């Protein structure tokens, strides 16, 4: 299933991912927005926990959330240009987990793990996930 996530990432304009390494259910989950205006969600866990089993949460899952309208898609492209490409970020190390913002803009790949705006100290992941949630 990781291969499918990697293929979606190759077609992405924007995505977010959270990795939990030492937690009760280690793995990663995220959201990917592709060039064809589709929004996907995914989760890839390392092993099954009792909570996951009890609540019928699969070990690996990829699913289509929705297709964006032209207006929603343009809003995301504008966000990428104004809030990601045009700003400077610093990445900070974290121990047990990480939050990543990634994507492609005009054939250029961007990848920001645990990053904060150098001027405002805003967390890039938090800003990005808020935008994505507003679009859903």
């Amino acid at each position: 299933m990781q291969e499918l996530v990697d293929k979606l990432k190759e077609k992405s304009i924007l995505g977010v991912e959270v990795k939990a390494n030492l937690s009760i259910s280690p793995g990663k989950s995220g959201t990917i927005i592709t060039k064809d205006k589709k929004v996907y969600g995914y989760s890839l866990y390392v092993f099954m926990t009792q909570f996951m089993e009890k609540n019928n949460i699969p070990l690996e899952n990829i699913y289509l959330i929705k297709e964006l309208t032209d207006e929603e898609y343009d809003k995301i492209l504008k966000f990428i240009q104004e809030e990601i490409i045009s700003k400077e970020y610093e990445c900070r190390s974290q121990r047990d987990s990480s939050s990543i913002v990634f994507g492609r803009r005009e054939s250029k790949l961007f990848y920001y793990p645990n990053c904060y705006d150098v001027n405002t100290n805003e967390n890039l992941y938090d800003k990005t996930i808020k935008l994505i949630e507003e679009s859903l």
Side-chain angles (χ1 to χ4, degrees), residues 21-32:
N21 300 323
L22 301 173
S23 67
I24 294 171
S25 53
K28 56 187 166 184
S29 63
T31 305
I32 298 172

Side-chain angles (χ1 to χ4, degrees), residues 62-95:
I62 299 175
Y63 49 95
L64 176 66
I65 297 173
K66 75 175 276 188
E67 289 194 40
L68 298 171
T69 64
D70 289 341
E71 185 178 302
E72 291 167 330
Y73 189 78
D74 290 343
K75 182 178 177 182
I76 289 167
L77 290 177
K78 183 178 178 182
F79 175 87
I80 293 167
Q81 185 60 44
E82 293 178 358
E83 298 296 328
I84 298 176
I85 305 297
S86 299
K87 291 199 174 179
E88 195 173 326
Y89 291 92
E90 71 172 347
C91 299
R92 300 177 186 165
S93 32
Q94 284 182 243
R95 293 182 181 238

Side-chain angles (χ1 to χ4, degrees), residues 89-92 99 112-117 122-125:
Y89 291 92
E90 71 172 347
C91 299
R92 300 177 186 165
S99 56
Y112 293 101
N114 307 320
C115 287
Y116 294 79
D117 187 310
E122 288 179 282
N123 181 307
L124 177 59
Y125 176 86

